[in-house]
């Protein structure tokens, strides 16, 4: 019974891990892994001395920092607001609506983002007609790429990510609220003395998990939204790997970049996990 | 008097909170509504219009006609459906098998196997080596390339594993004493007991297959095997050639067909999601309990 399971993990997870070896090769598909020339760390040296290296590392880092500053806190605020709603059907209705974007495919969402950011699209038109700011196509402006990326993430994920916090709030003992009310606590005091301390541990765990992904950024959205004009600010490590490897066919080099990113992610995750264990007693492992 | 103002203040607070949330919900749903309104609008009026759209501008099915005529949408749906149905079935079968195997401390190398599976969540060979592996198995340009590499989602499998571990040990023991083999045990005893978790996993796997496009983009060359999302990508992100035959009207129809393509991709999920929402929410809870 264990055989198919082990086979799956070996073939599609551990064999590719062994395949990381090609990052030390001048890999030529027609020569194969064993026929290609061993070049040591040359691929890594090439990457670290390339102009793209710092661009993609910087973009990956800043994109994540913006994401942590903007996309991380919003679900918490949403959950706190949802908790204050008295009408059950309104709460249910709002929840259903704000969850939906999470389940629409990335292709369609990015298609919509592109359309809304176009010169003739909704957002530049509103900016032009209401505020008198002529932005042109937002996705053609390198300095605006990260803004578009992060604020559209808010639309995609903030609603769905609020679930964890809504659940954490509903797990708080109701007697605490009653006692607080009896003691004369208003809405704000209940928020600061009951709700926030109640969901504090959840927020901390989610935050540490988020920090664990500090240097990983999904390539899907980036490669759907970027273009040569915005590579400078949009390209992240994983989209660069994709372009170098699968579009340019520079397999060894791209694998080296991917390996660098994977190791970096692992180190950050282990560090974050150790902090989590120290602070909360819980961790991923 | 003081109590009265306090109550009024509270009510105003409630009103503002409701307003903020409704505002956010509108922002979430509006882009999707916009796309659907635009997709059935009159193409001439649509080109002249700028800014927000609160209703369709007139009514026209031309965009959809053009789209279905020029793009093998039906074939795309067919390919996607194949991957969703066959893929999800195999996902569930192998996840169940893995979860069962890994939940049993009796099995040899139990600890090592568990660690091997969990490790893949935190470290992987990455895009290029996996691509080369899939290629070397001769899976390029095959629908199986969309199914086999993602056969088990380890995170989902672990959710299932913890729900198997939550079953009372006595049930499994007494079945074993009654002489049930391992497969009988899995299919006749374990499976019915973890059905609620399976339902959650079916949803997650199915929606993942439905929305997936990147693997198809790198593994599939033959347009006849393109899943829906890849066809939509050509129209929405690449150069939209659907309207090429429209001569002078090409610009007009280009944006219209884009809206139609978005609607084709989004509508099925928008219609089904409210009914299936509870399963997805349960999935988050199950994952949270695990951590």
């Amino acid at each position: 019974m264990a055989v198919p399971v082990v086979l799956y993990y070996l073939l599609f997870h551990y064999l590719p891990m062994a395949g990381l070896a090609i990052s030390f090769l001048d890999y030529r598909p027609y020569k194969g892994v064993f026929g290609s020339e061993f070049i040591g760390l040359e691929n890594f040296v090439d990457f670290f001395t390339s102009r793209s290296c710092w661009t993609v590392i910087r973009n990956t880092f800043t994109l994540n920092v913006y994401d942590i500053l903007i996309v991380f806190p919003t679900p918490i605020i949403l959950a706190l607001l949802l908790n204050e709603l008295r009408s059950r059907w309104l709460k249910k209705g709002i929840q259903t609506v704000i969850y939906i974007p999470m389940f629409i495919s990335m292709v369609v969402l990015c298609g919509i983002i592109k359309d809304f950011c176009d010169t003739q699209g909704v957002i530049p038109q509103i900016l032009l007609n209401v505020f008198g700011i002529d932005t042109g196509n937002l996705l053609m402006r390198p300095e605006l790429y990260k803004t578009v990326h992060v604020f559209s993430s808010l639309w995609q994920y903030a609603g769905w990510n609020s679930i964890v916090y809504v659940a954490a709030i509903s797990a708080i003992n109701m007697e605490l609220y009653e006692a607080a009310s009896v003691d004369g606590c208003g809405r704000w005091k209940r928020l600061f003395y009951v709700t926030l301390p109640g969901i504090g541990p959840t927020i901390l765990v989610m935050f540490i998990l988020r920090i664990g992904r500090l240097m990983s950024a999904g390539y899907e959205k980036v490669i759907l939204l970027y273009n040569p004009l915005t590579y400078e600010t949009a390209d992240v490590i994983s989209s660069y790997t994709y372009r170098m490897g699968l579009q340019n066919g520079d397999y060894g080099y791209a694998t080296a970049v991917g390996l660098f990113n994977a190791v970096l992610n692992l180190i950050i995750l282990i560090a974050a996990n150790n902090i989590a264990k120290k602070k909360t007693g819980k961790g991923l492992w | 008097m003081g109590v009265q103002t306090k109550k009024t203040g509270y009510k105003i607070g409630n009103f503002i909170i409701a307003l903020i949330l409704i505002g956010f919900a509108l922002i979430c749903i509006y882009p999707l509504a916009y796309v659907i309104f635009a997709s059935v609008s009159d193409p001439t009026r649509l080109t002249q219009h700028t800014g927000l759209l609160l209703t369709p501008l007139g009514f026209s099915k031309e965009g959809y006609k053009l789209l279905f005529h020029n793009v093998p949408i039906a074939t795309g749906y067919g390919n996607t459906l194949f991957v969703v149905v066959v893929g999800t079935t195999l996902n569930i079968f192998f996840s169940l098998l893995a979860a069962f195997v890994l939940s049993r401390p009796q099995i040899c190398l139990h600890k090592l196997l568990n660690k091997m599976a969990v490790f893949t969540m935190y470290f992987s060979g990455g895009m290029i080596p996996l691509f080369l592996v899939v290629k070397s198995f001769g899976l390029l340009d095959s629908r199986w390339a969309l199914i086999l590499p993602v056969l088990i989602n380890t995170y989902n499998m672990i959710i299932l594993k913890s729900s198997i571990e939550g079953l009372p040990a006595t049930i499994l023991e007494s079945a074993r004493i009654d002489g049930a083999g391992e497969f009988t045990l899995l299919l006749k005893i374990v499976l019915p007991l973890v059905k609620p978790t399976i339902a959650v996993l079916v949803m997650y796997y199915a929606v993942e297959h439905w929305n997936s496009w990147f693997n198809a983009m790198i593994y599939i060359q033959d347009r006849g095997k393109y899943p829906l999302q890849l066809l939509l990508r050509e129209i929405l992100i690449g150069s939209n050639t659907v309207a090429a035959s429209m001569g002078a009207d090409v610009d007009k129809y280009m944006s219209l067909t884009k809206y139609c393509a978005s609607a084709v991709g989004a509508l099925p999920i928008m219609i089904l999601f409210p009914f299936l929402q509870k399963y997805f929410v349960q999935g988050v809870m199950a994952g949270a309990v695990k951590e």
Side-chain angles (χ1 to χ4, degrees):
Chain A
M1 259 175 131
V3 175
V5 175
V6 174
L7 213 57
Y8 166 72
Y9 277 103
L10 284 181
L11 292 181
F12 290 107
H13 291 276
Y14 285 89
L15 192 57
M17 278 185 220
L20 284 169
I22 66 172
S23 52
F24 303 101
L25 303 178
D26 179 23
Y27 181 76
R28 304 285 152 137
Y30 61 89
K31 284 185 186 160
V33 173
F34 299 102
S36 295
E37 191 193 346
F38 179 82
I39 53 168
L41 295 175
E42 209 177 295
N43 285 323
F44 293 91
V45 173
D46 280 352
F47 174 57
F48 288 119
T49 52
S50 73
R51 217 176 66 81
S52 305
C53 170
W54 300 113
T55 308
V56 295
I57 290 176
R58 192 181 58 230
N59 284 338
T60 309
F61 179 74
T62 41
L63 200 58
N64 274 295
V65 170
Y66 290 156
D67 192 88
I68 289 169
L69 288 177
I70 292 165
V71 184
F72 183 80
T74 308
I76 303 170
I77 296 167
L78 282 175
L80 294 173
L81 291 173
L82 282 166
N83 184 47
E84 295 293 324
L85 277 187
R86 289 293 147 255
S87 157
R88 279 195 143 258
W89 65 265
L90 186 62
K91 186 176 172 182
K92 278 246 145 65
I94 286 174
Q95 283 178 305
T96 302
V97 167
I98 65 180
Y99 295 166
I100 284 182
M102 171 77 189
F103 293 90
I104 308 286
S105 74
M106 190 62 96
V107 168
V108 170
L109 290 181
C110 288
I112 295 176
I113 294 170
K114 266 187 86 169
D115 183 69
F116 270 53
C117 290
D118 190 81
T119 313
Q120 296 302 314
V122 172
I123 298 169
Q125 284 299 320
I126 290 179
L127 289 175
L128 182 64
N129 295 327
V130 181
F131 301 99
I133 310 165
D134 188 3
T135 57
N137 189 333
L138 299 176
L139 284 169
M140 293 296 174
R141 305 259 309 258
E143 72 279 16
L144 291 178
Y145 178 82
K146 291 191 183 80
T147 311
V148 172
H149 188 111
V150 168
F151 279 91
S152 57
S153 291
L154 218 48
W155 166 51
Q156 293 175 271
Y157 308 117
W160 180 253
N161 290 350
S162 70
I163 293 183
V164 181
Y165 302 108
V166 170
I169 292 173
S170 67
I172 295 173
N173 191 342
M174 281 311 282
E175 284 171 18
L176 290 176
Y177 285 107
E178 281 156 23
S181 290
V182 171
D183 288 346
C185 287
R187 198 198 295 273
W188 287 103
K189 283 194 171 161
R190 284 204 302 267
L191 172 66
F192 284 108
Y193 295 117
V194 183
T195 314
L196 279 179
I199 63 172
T202 309
I203 295 176
L204 189 63
V205 170
M206 297 303 286
F207 184 71
I208 292 166
L209 286 176
R210 181 64 193 80
I211 293 293
R213 289 185 286 117
L214 189 64
M215 286 308 286
S216 69
Y219 48 81
E220 288 203 5
K221 192 170 171 183
V222 173
I223 63 181
L224 286 170
L225 289 182
Y226 75 0
N227 60 65
L229 267 181
T230 52
Y231 281 170
E232 190 62 30
T233 55
D235 211 9
V236 292
I237 305 177
S238 57
S239 57
Y240 181 67
T241 309
Y242 160 73
R243 213 169 54 253
M244 290 299 119
L246 296 178
Q247 285 193 324
N248 298 358
D250 203 344
Y251 294 119
Y253 178 74
T255 306
V257 178
L259 177 58
F260 161 70
N261 198 16
V263 171
L264 192 63
N265 285 334
L266 191 62
I267 292 170
I268 294 172
L269 188 71
I270 290 171
N273 190 56
N274 285 345
I275 296 170
K277 269 187 177 166
K278 236 179 228 167
K279 294 268 175 211
T280 67
K282 283 192 283 189
L284 285 169
W285 60 80
Chain B
M1 192 65 180
V3 177
Q4 203 58 41
T5 43
K6 217 172 190 182
K7 263 197 171 158
T8 325
Y10 197 74
K11 275 192 180 152
I12 292 173
N14 279 347
F15 182 72
I16 293 171
I17 287 167
L19 222 55
I20 295 173
L21 284 171
I22 292 172
F24 184 72
L26 284 177
I27 291 174
C28 283
I29 203 71
Y30 182 73
L32 299 166
Y34 176 95
V35 158
I36 291 163
F37 292 154
S39 75
V40 292
S41 289
D42 180 75
T44 313
R45 287 177 63 188
L46 189 63
T47 359
Q48 287 156 1
H49 179 87
T50 53
L52 296 176
L53 204 60
L54 297 173
T55 57
L57 299 167
F59 181 78
S60 146
K61 287 182 287 188
E62 278 181 85
Y64 286 100
K65 270 190 197 156
L66 208 57
L67 182 69
F68 279 85
H69 188 73
N70 288 298
V71 182
I73 295 285
T75 320
Y77 259 114
N79 290 331
T80 296
L81 222 53
F82 172 82
V83 175
V84 168
V85 173
V86 176
T88 306
T89 310
L90 292 173
N91 285 146
I92 293 297
F93 179 75
F94 282 91
S95 300
L96 187 64
L97 204 60
F100 185 60
V101 167
L102 296 180
S103 69
R104 316 236 351 249
Q106 300 93 322
I107 224 141
C108 71
L109 300 175
H110 170 258
K111 273 212 166 128
L112 179 74
L113 290 183
N114 266 293
K115 279 189 179 149
M116 257 180 79
V118 169
F119 183 66
T120 62
M121 290 204 288
Y122 307 123
F123 189 82
S124 78
M127 193 190 293
I128 313 295
L130 181 62
F131 173 81
L132 294 175
V133 164
V134 170
K135 190 178 166 194
S136 72
F137 290 160
L139 288 174
L140 282 196
D141 225 11
S142 153
R143 290 185 191 87
W144 292 103
L146 309 180
I147 295 175
L148 295 178
V150 291
L151 202 53
I152 300 175
N153 176 313
T154 305
Y155 184 80
N156 288 349
M157 186 271 288
I158 286 175
I159 289 177
L160 188 55
K161 189 188 130 200
S162 31
S163 93
I164 292 178
E165 282 167 345
L167 299 176
T170 45
I171 295 184
L172 297 186
E173 261 170 48
S174 54
R176 258 188 219 113
I177 291 166
D178 291 344
E182 291 299 285
F183 260 106
T184 327
L185 199 66
L186 179 59
L187 296 177
K188 292 273 163 67
I189 314 279
V190 174
L191 180 59
L193 288 172
V194 295
K195 252 188 193 154
T197 312
I198 299 272
V200 171
L201 292 203
V202 168
M203 297 299 150
Y204 273 95
Y205 277 126
V207 94
E208 186 64 43
H209 283 304
W210 174 272
N211 285 338
S212 139
W213 62 281
F214 184 79
N215 285 350
M217 180 177 78
I218 63 176
Y219 297 138
I220 308 283
Q221 315 280 304
D222 176 3
R223 265 184 116 239
K225 290 176 190 158
Y226 271 18
L228 180 67
Q229 300 298 338
L230 210 49
L231 293 170
L232 297 182
R233 174 180 162 271
E234 284 185 347
I235 301 163
L236 294 172
I237 310 289
S239 47
N240 177 7
T241 54
V242 177
S245 60
M246 300 309 287
D249 286 337
V250 73
D251 280 344
K252 192 163 95 183
Y253 285 96
M254 202 142 99
S255 54
L256 183 68
T257 48
K258 277 191 181 179
Y259 294 124
C260 295
S262 300
V264 162
L267 266 177
I269 302 260
M270 289 175 72
I271 293 167
L272 289 176
F273 184 75
F275 301 101
L276 305 175
Q277 184 189 335
K278 65 169 188 191
Y279 295 103
F280 290 108
V281 174
Q282 280 169 20
V284 176
M285 299 306 163
V289 169
K290 190 217 72 176
E291 282 152 16

